[in-house]
């Protein structure tokens, strides 16, 4: 990956300062690729910086309705959370994984993604992290979500057992 860094930098340089939608989407892609390359050579602080750039651009493009691939934004949240985790920054790791989960859940619910498996894994990871922090009720929300998306037939059973709908929980975690 170290050998790829100069080539990725050339791609970034060719896109910097261009403000058309196509170029901004490609710049977001290139920032994500650079972040991953830097992560693979353990330059974690620099990796976070490139993920920050990709997420900032992606959020704006999403808000404007101009993002080519919202799934890439979800992955940037997830992978930046992984880098924060490697840096020992548990709160930011948790925040990014929650943001990735929310983004992926929205895509699944509106039919633009079918990646239930990844969502289930994210929900289970978030639930474990919250449990480790002693946030039992918030952990329960993500365990219920993992069951909802991993075993859709459980949704009816959850209701029949009188368990709360995961969407009824307070979303204020941080």
């Amino acid at each position: 990956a170290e050998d790829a860094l100069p080539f990725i930098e050339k791609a970034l340089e060719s896109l910097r300062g261009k403000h058309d939608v196509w170029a901004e989407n490609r710049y977001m892609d290139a920032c994500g690729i650079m972040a991953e390359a830097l992560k693979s050579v353990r330059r974690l602080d620099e990796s976070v910086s490139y993920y920050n750039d990709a997420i900032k651009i992606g959020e704006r493009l999403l808000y404007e309705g101009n993002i080519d691939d919202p799934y890439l934004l979800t992955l940037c949240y997830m992978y930046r959370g992984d880098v924060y985790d490697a840096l020992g920054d548990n709160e930011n790791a948790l925040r990014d994984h929650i943001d990735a989960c929310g983004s992926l859940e929205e895509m699944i619910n509106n039919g633009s993604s079918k990646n239930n498996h990844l969502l289930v894994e994210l929900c289970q990871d978030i639930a474990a992290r919250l449990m480790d922090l002693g946030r039992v009720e918030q952990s329960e929300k993500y365990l219920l979500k993992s069951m909802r998306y991993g075993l859709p037939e459980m949704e009816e059973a959850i209701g029949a057992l009188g368990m709360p709908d995961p969407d009824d929980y307070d979303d204020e975690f941080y």
Side-chain angles (χ1 to χ4, degrees):
E2 187 82 43
D3 295 338
L5 295 176
F7 298 102
I8 302 168
E9 185 54 48
K10 283 188 185 276
L12 287 164
E13 191 61 39
S14 73
L15 294 164
R16 270 192 194 103
K18 296 188 177 167
H19 298 292
D20 61 278
V21 171
W22 183 89
E24 288 181 328
N25 274 281
R26 300 302 73 75
Y27 188 74
M28 182 184 78
D29 294 344
C31 284
I33 292 168
M34 179 62 95
E36 273 299 296
L38 289 165
K39 181 173 83 172
S40 73
V41 295
R42 306 295 299 159
R43 291 167 54 183
L44 301 181
D45 289 329
E46 292 173 82
S47 177
V48 167
S49 178
Y50 278 97
Y51 279 127
N52 290 343
D53 291 347
I55 289 168
K56 181 179 177 184
I57 293 163
E59 285 177 341
R60 184 178 48 74
L61 289 168
L62 182 67
Y63 176 77
E64 294 170 350
N66 291 324
I67 195 165
D68 287 348
D69 186 1
Y71 190 67
L72 178 62
L73 179 59
T74 300
L75 291 176
C76 285
Y77 278 120
M78 190 172 72
Y79 294 150
R80 185 178 69 178
D82 293 345
V83 174
Y84 279 134
D85 194 38
L87 289 168
D89 186 345
N90 296 326
E91 282 297 317
N92 277 323
L94 178 61
R95 181 174 304 140
D96 275 353
H97 287 167
I98 288 171
D99 288 343
C101 180
S103 175
L104 186 54
E105 184 177 19
E106 185 175 319
M107 286 188 287
I108 288 170
N109 289 339
N110 72 26
S112 62
S113 177
K114 303 269 188 237
N115 202 338
N116 286 31
H117 179 72
L118 178 58
L119 181 59
V120 168
E121 284 183 22
L122 267 171
C123 287
Q124 290 171 344
D125 177 65
I126 292 166
R129 289 172 182 271
L130 289 166
M131 189 64 75
D132 288 345
L133 294 170
R135 297 160 147 178
V136 176
E137 185 175 309
Q138 294 156 340
S139 177
E140 183 179 74
K141 170 184 178 171
Y142 285 93
L143 286 173
L144 290 171
K145 280 181 182 267
S146 74
M147 289 188 334
R148 170 191 284 169
Y149 290 101
L151 300 165
E153 58 276 5
M154 287 297 294
E155 181 121 23
E156 190 175 313
I158 289 170
L161 291 171
M163 298 173 77
D165 185 304
D167 295 328
D168 292 339
Y169 285 81
D170 181 16
D171 277 336
E172 294 301 317
F173 294 113
Y174 31 86

